[in-house]
Amino acid sequence: MPDINHLKRLSDVKSNVGVKFLTPAAFPGSHCPLHPALALAGNIKGLSSLVVGTPECATYSRVVLTNTQVRQGELHWTYVLDASEVVFGCRQGVMGALQKMDQAGAKAILLLATCVPELIGEDIENIVREVQPKLSARLICVMLGHFKCNSFPSGSWKTLQAIGSLMEPRRVQPQVVNVIGRSPDEKHIPMPPVLSALQQQGFSLRCLSPGSSLEDFLAAPDAALNVVLSPFTDPLAAAMDQSFGTPAFRLHNVYDVAEIDALYSSIARKLKFQWRNEFYHERMEALALQEQAKKRLHGCRYICAHIGPVRTIPLAAYLAALGMEPLLLHLEEFWPDDKHWSETLNALGYDPLVCHMVNSGSDAPLLESLSPDLCLGDLSGTKFRVPCVPYLSDLYGMSGYERTNSLLKRILRTLDHLFMPKAGGGRRGIA
């Protein structure tokens, strides 16, 4: 059985390139950054796309966009490189395709360059600069070489950053708040209480996410602040803060009650109002659960597997403050600000191994060999003999005290199950 000596400690990782696969069983497909970039392009009203790549990329792009509703002024085209262009470049062909899309009525075009254009050194950004003065449509581009990132999240945040480059300064409207990371059509996930409370205070919420329109994104600099609910939108919020001075309040990576208190107070101070004890019950429950967790989780050794779009390292830093010891963390992405969170976790005395997990059947035996007490997240399709805290991806879309409550309840419920007496036997428990 292969060992884990090839993995790095968190303190040794400076970018996503340093995060190694746990086993050699890597695969592309949904882990390719083209997938979320195309999904975004197909779900932002008014945005067109041009994929530049091989026939495989073209076929894949059509699969991703199969159920996309194409509206007027939207085109989703592919430019397939021929053998000559792979050797000598595709500059003229791509410029011609962009001009044809402009003539066909595209208003804004997202050019998605896949692996081969990056490998042959094609200067896509220069192509965009050269052809832009000849077009009515506005152009942006994203480089999506899978060989540079190993995973998919960069396809989302790089695309949103590119859309942000189309923004221009606007007069600030003090009653407008951008909610970055929640769709205006997101009915299946309840509105976080903090957003409902802002509405009750008379603030207008503009949702920026798949399902929003390009016009919504372009109007975003007029907001008094950005409430950030998703790690995929965090780099866009950071860019807006730098370009327009729009302050960002990040709710997707905060769990500690005192930190939530400070964040909510800062939002109210910035918007010049006072809360009315709207969160009293949720806050008191979070305080009680947090004290209970400090007593019960101290010394618990865990691994973190697949937890969906929830940020791994900020979560590990919070749990470390409660006394939980991370042995190994699955990182779908090493985010731009993860260095800060890594330093926070290291300062608490923990330096776990980090990896990509992409094949549960091969990964499970290695994870079991670490003898963890718990596994956070899912390892589907295997007979994994480590107790798991499932469905942590459901935390996505929650924020504030209710998010902390949900997290701690799931962990404590799993511990309760471990300590339940077996029929005809003793009790189970963590080491």
Side-chain angles (χ1 to χ4, degrees):
M1 184 173 65
D3 58 32
I4 56 175
N5 291 333
H6 64 291
L7 299 182
K8 292 184 177 183
R9 295 282 175 181
L10 180 60
S11 60
D12 295 323
V13 174
K14 307 304 178 187
S15 70
N16 210 46
V17 177
V19 183
K20 307 300 181 183
F21 288 98
L22 180 58
T23 62
F27 65 93
S30 60
H31 281 256
C32 175
L34 177 61
H35 185 285
L38 271 172
L40 267 172
N43 284 284
I44 294 178
K45 301 167 189 174
L47 184 63
S48 298
S49 67
L50 176 66
V51 175
V52 180
T54 62
E56 292 81 3
C57 296
T59 300
Y60 183 55
S61 68
R62 295 185 186 282
V63 172
V64 175
L65 293 171
T66 297
N67 297 318
T68 296
Q69 178 185 356
V70 179
R71 295 161 283 263
Q72 185 175 4
E74 296 178 16
L75 303 168
H76 297 288
W77 290 11
T78 58
Y79 185 88
V80 179
L81 303 172
D82 62 29
S84 175
E85 289 174 314
V86 170
V87 177
F88 299 107
C90 56
R91 183 183 200 81
Q92 294 303 318
V94 169
M95 291 176 66
L98 291 169
Q99 289 173 323
K100 289 179 180 179
M101 292 183 73
D102 184 56
Q103 294 165 3
K107 304 302 181 184
I109 304 172
L110 172 66
L111 195 162
L112 301 172
T114 58
C115 290
V116 171
E118 285 219 67
L119 284 169
I120 65 176
E122 187 63 83
D123 192 344
I124 298 295
E125 294 178 348
N126 192 52
I127 290 175
V128 168
R129 285 193 295 268
E130 183 175 339
V131 76
Q132 179 65 89
K134 305 174 184 178
L135 308 181
S136 298
R138 300 183 68 180
L139 303 182
I140 49 178
C141 68
V142 180
M143 308 302 289
L144 296 174
H146 191 185
F147 62 93
K148 287 187 173 181
C149 65
N150 295 332
S151 195
F152 69 88
S154 61
S156 287
W157 65 260
K158 285 184 177 180
T159 298
L160 289 168
Q161 269 191 329
I163 294 171
S165 69
L166 297 175
M167 297 177 182
E168 297 177 347
R170 297 201 178 199
R171 183 178 180 181
V172 174
Q173 306 294 322
Q175 292 300 113
V176 176
V177 171
N178 290 328
V179 180
I180 310 186
R182 181 178 176 87
S183 169
D185 304 322
E186 204 165 281
K187 308 300 182 185
H188 61 292
I189 299 178
M191 177 81 79
V194 65
L195 299 185
S196 299
L198 285 173
Q199 286 183 320
Q200 292 169 6
Q201 291 278 358
F203 292 95
S204 176
L205 305 183
R206 178 193 292 122
C207 293
L208 299 177
S209 183
S212 303
S213 69
L214 183 61
E215 286 74 17
D216 287 333
F217 279 91
L218 297 182
D222 73 359
L225 57 83
N226 288 327
V227 173
V228 187
L229 299 182
S230 165
F232 300 108
T233 59
D234 201 338
L236 171 62
M240 290 182 64
D241 192 357
Q242 183 175 3
S243 298
F244 310 112
T246 310
F249 294 86
R250 296 167 172 84
L251 300 182
H252 62 88
N253 54 17
V254 177
Y255 299 89
D256 182 75
V257 174
E259 293 180 7
I260 298 170
D261 291 345
L263 192 62
Y264 282 15
S265 296
S266 296
I267 291 174
R269 190 160 51 250
K270 177 64 180 177
L271 295 176
K272 297 181 173 58
F273 76 97
Q274 290 185 339
W275 299 111
R276 308 171 184 145
N277 289 325
E278 293 94 334
F279 316 112
Y280 177 79
H281 295 292
E282 293 93 342
R283 182 180 182 276
M284 295 306 295
E285 183 179 18
L287 280 171
L289 285 167
Q290 196 165 268
E291 288 305 310
Q292 183 182 355
K294 287 179 181 178
K295 297 175 182 177
R296 297 187 60 190
L297 300 180
H298 186 79
C300 180
R301 302 162 73 248
Y302 74 94
I303 57 175
C304 190
H306 299 279
I307 56 175
V310 178
R311 288 275 298 275
T312 301
I313 304 179
L315 174 61
Y318 172 63
L319 295 177
L322 299 179
M324 292 186 72
E325 178 184 351
L327 299 177
L328 181 144
L329 303 177
H330 160 65
L331 300 183
E332 196 68 63
E333 174 95 347
F334 191 86
W335 295 85
D337 67 336
D338 267 343
K339 185 177 180 182
H340 158 73
W341 289 106
S342 299
E343 292 171 350
T344 300
L345 186 57
N346 294 156
L348 291 168
Y350 300 103
D351 194 15
L353 296 167
V354 294
C355 68
H356 287 304
M357 299 181 195
V358 295
N359 190 305
S360 297
S362 299
D363 296 337
L366 285 175
L367 299 175
E368 289 175 357
S369 71
L370 297 175
S371 301
D373 300 316
L374 285 177
C375 172
L376 301 186
D378 304 309
L379 216 67
S380 59
T382 66
K383 293 183 179 180
F384 191 45
R385 293 189 292 270
V386 177
C388 289
V389 182
Y391 311 123
L392 289 182
S393 59
D394 291 350
L395 297 177
Y396 185 68
M398 297 183 185
S399 64
Y401 307 111
E402 71 277 8
R403 191 165 187 252
T404 299
N405 291 339
S406 182
L407 168 69
L408 295 180
K409 284 179 180 177
R410 290 165 197 249
I411 296 176
L412 293 171
R413 191 181 302 128
T414 301
L415 288 185
D416 289 339
H417 177 72
L418 288 177
F419 280 93
M420 289 176 59
K422 289 184 178 180
R427 299 166 69 89
R428 293 178 292 173
I430 62 175

